[in-house]
Amino acid sequence: MTTPYLRIRNLTKRFGDFTALDDVSIDIHQGEFVCFLGPSGCGKTTLLRAISGLDIQTHGTVEQDGRDISALPPAQRDFGIVFQSYALFQNLTVARNIAYGLENRKQPKAAIRQRVQELLELIGLPDSGNKYPSQLSGGQQQRVALARALAVSPGLLLLDEPLSALDAKVRVYLRDEIKALQRRLGITTIMITHDQEEAISMADRIVVMRAGKIEQVGTPLEIYHQPASLFVAEFIGAMNLLPALLVQQGEIQLGQARLACKVNGFAPGTAVQAAVRPEDVVCTGRTNGHANSFHAEVQDLEFMGPFFWLSLGGGELGEHRLRAQLPSQQARELNLHPRDSTHFHIPAEHIRLFPDGYPHG
C-alpha cells in the first residue's frame, strides 16, 4: 500500500466544553477526491479548517506528503481553497484575482500572464480576464475562485461547500466540470458538502461524519449499499426503516410477511430495524412468483417523471408503511391505481438489519 498523501491522526478540537472533533483519524491518498459529508454541526468544516491551518486542532497530527504540518500557519501549508461565497476581490479584474497568489510569490509578470491565460481556458472563460466579478454569473465566479486556488499549483485542493450557493442546474453542471477537472489535473481534493447526491456523484470516497466522529468511510457504492450504521442508512438516500422480528436464523417477520435476509449476528427473537431502499422493492404484479414476496395495497402513487413513488400498506404488511420506487414504464405496463392490491418482492440481499432502538439523527 502506498504512503498516504494526507495522514490525519487522533485529531481533536474543543471549543470550551464543546468537542467539535473527537479523535478523528483518516488517510487520503494521492489524487483522490474525498468528500466529507454530514449534517450541520457534525465537524466536517472544523476538520477542513484543521487541515488548512485556519483553525489549529486541540491535539492530534496532520501530515501532508510526509511532512508534519500540524502546527504550521496556513501560508506555510501547500493547499488551495475555494469557499462557498467565492471570496473574490470585487475591485480586481478576473485576471488579477487569479494572479493574486502568483503576484504574492513575486513570480515574473510574463509567467503570471501565461499562467492566468492557461487557467482561464481551463475553466472555460478565455475572454473574461478583463471583466470584474460583478459582471459574471454565480457559476462563473465560482470557476474563477477555482482557478485562483489552482494558480499556485497546490498539492491539495480544499472545497468548502463550493456549490451550495448556486441554483440546481448550475450546481449539477459545475459538479461534473469540477470532477472532470480534478481527474485531468490529478490533484488530491477534499470537498465538504451536506448534499448526499453531490458526494455520491463526485467522490472516490466519502467520509460520513456525525457529532464530531467518523461514522463510515467508503466508496459511494459501499456507503449507499452497505451502510455501517442506521445513521448512515437514514442519511444517505431514501430508506425504508421497518420494525421487524427475527423469527429464525436468516428470516424476519414484517407484519404477516416472512422475508429471508442476511442476519449479521442477531439472535432469533431479537427486535430489529429492517432497512430497504425504495428502488429495491420490486412489483411482481398480480402473481406471486418469487420467494420473499408479499401482497400489499397501493395506497398512493406520486408521478416523478422517470419513476413513480408508491406508498404501500395493508395486506401482509399490516400497519407497516413501505415506500417503493417504480420505473414509469413498468407502472404503465402494470396499470397500477390507488387501492390496487398486488404482489411485491424484496431480494434477500437488499435487506439490511440494524439493532432496534439505535439513536437516530
Side-chain angles (χ1 to χ4, degrees):
M1 193 68 176
T2 54
T3 306
Y5 177 75
L6 199 67
R7 193 168 183 268
I8 295 160
R9 286 293 175 273
N10 311 113
L11 224 60
T12 298
K13 177 66 180 179
R14 294 191 188 92
F15 296 97
D17 292 335
F18 175 67
T19 302
L21 284 180
D22 190 0
D23 199 36
V24 168
S25 297
I26 185 173
D27 291 339
I28 293 171
H29 296 279
Q30 183 80 48
E32 261 197 309
F33 194 123
V34 174
C35 278
F36 295 167
L37 175 68
S40 296
C42 71
K44 56 189 187 292
T45 300
T46 306
L47 181 52
L48 190 86
R49 290 178 68 82
I51 291 167
S52 66
L54 291 168
D55 215 338
I56 301 289
Q57 65 278 4
T58 307
H59 62 77
T61 59
V62 182
E63 289 178 18
Q64 183 180 358
D65 204 14
R67 181 171 75 124
D68 189 338
I69 60 169
S70 308
L72 294 181
Q76 291 178 34
R77 302 192 187 199
D78 179 19
F79 71 91
I81 191 163
V82 179
F83 295 102
Q84 174 184 342
S85 59
Y86 322 137
L88 296 174
F89 302 112
Q90 296 300 316
N91 60 326
L92 299 182
T93 63
V94 164
R96 289 289 308 284
N97 264 282
I98 296 171
Y100 184 78
L102 298 166
E103 289 172 353
N104 279 354
R105 295 185 180 198
K106 306 287 193 288
Q107 297 279 320
K109 285 185 178 178
I112 291 175
R113 272 197 306 275
Q114 184 181 342
R115 179 69 174 147
V116 167
Q117 195 53 44
E118 279 174 11
L119 287 161
L120 283 168
E121 288 178 18
L122 189 69
I123 61 167
L125 297 171
D127 304 320
S128 296
N130 291 326
K131 292 182 179 177
Y132 286 85
S134 60
Q135 296 173 283
L136 303 179
S137 69
Q140 289 171 329
Q141 288 186 60
Q142 196 56 289
R143 287 200 229 171
V144 173
L146 188 61
R148 184 179 62 183
L150 294 169
V152 295
S153 302
L156 179 65
L157 180 62
L158 303 176
L159 306 174
D160 186 1
E161 302 230 27
L163 306 177
S164 59
L166 303 169
D167 68 48
K169 270 194 173 173
V170 176
R171 205 159 59 230
V172 171
Y173 174 74
L174 256 192
R175 77 186 183 204
D176 293 342
E177 291 285 297
I178 289 172
K179 182 59 185 170
L181 188 60
Q182 186 268 340
R183 281 201 174 123
R184 206 176 333 151
L185 298 174
I187 186 171
T188 308
T189 301
I190 296 172
M191 185 172 88
I192 287 185
T193 182
H194 61 268
D195 184 325
Q196 45 179 288
E197 191 179 291
E198 210 165 87
I200 285 169
S201 68
M202 295 178 78
D204 297 317
R205 281 193 303 156
I206 297 171
V207 178
V208 183
M209 296 187 67
R210 173 180 183 244
K213 290 179 177 284
I214 291 175
E215 282 274 319
Q216 186 173 359
V217 180
T219 66
L221 277 171
E222 287 166 348
I223 296 284
Y224 189 83
H225 290 298
Q226 297 157 37
S229 69
L230 195 51
F231 170 78
V232 177
E234 285 185 288
F235 189 72
I236 306 292
M239 184 68 87
N240 290 294
L241 293 170
L242 302 157
L245 184 70
L246 188 65
V247 284
Q248 62 184 37
Q249 203 60 29
E251 191 175 76
I252 56 168
Q253 180 151 350
L254 191 64
Q256 283 89 53
R258 289 206 171 198
L259 303 174
C261 62
K262 292 179 183 173
V263 165
N264 306 330
F266 295 102
T270 306
V272 292
Q273 288 274 346
V276 179
R277 296 277 181 206
E279 67 270 24
D280 291 330
V281 180
V282 181
C283 185
T284 58
R286 305 296 188 271
T287 58
N288 181 3
H290 291 266
N292 267 31
S293 286
F294 56 92
H295 73 266
E297 184 183 276
V298 178
Q299 297 185 330
D300 192 29
L301 290 97
E302 186 181 0
F303 179 57
M304 299 299 290
F307 64 88
F308 279 84
W309 280 118
L310 272 58
S311 295
L312 310 177
E316 288 175 276
L317 285 178
E319 295 301 308
H320 292 298
R321 293 291 171 269
L322 188 64
R323 291 191 91 202
Q325 194 183 84
L326 197 65
S328 287
Q329 185 179 346
Q330 190 187 5
R332 284 196 299 273
E333 287 167 358
L334 291 166
N335 194 26
L336 288 177
H337 298 94
R339 291 183 294 284
D340 279 356
S341 185
T342 190
H343 282 91
F344 296 87
H345 158 65
I346 305 173
E349 64 272 20
H350 292 154
I351 302 172
R352 292 186 69 81
L353 301 184
F354 295 98
D356 195 34
Y358 186 95
H360 297 204

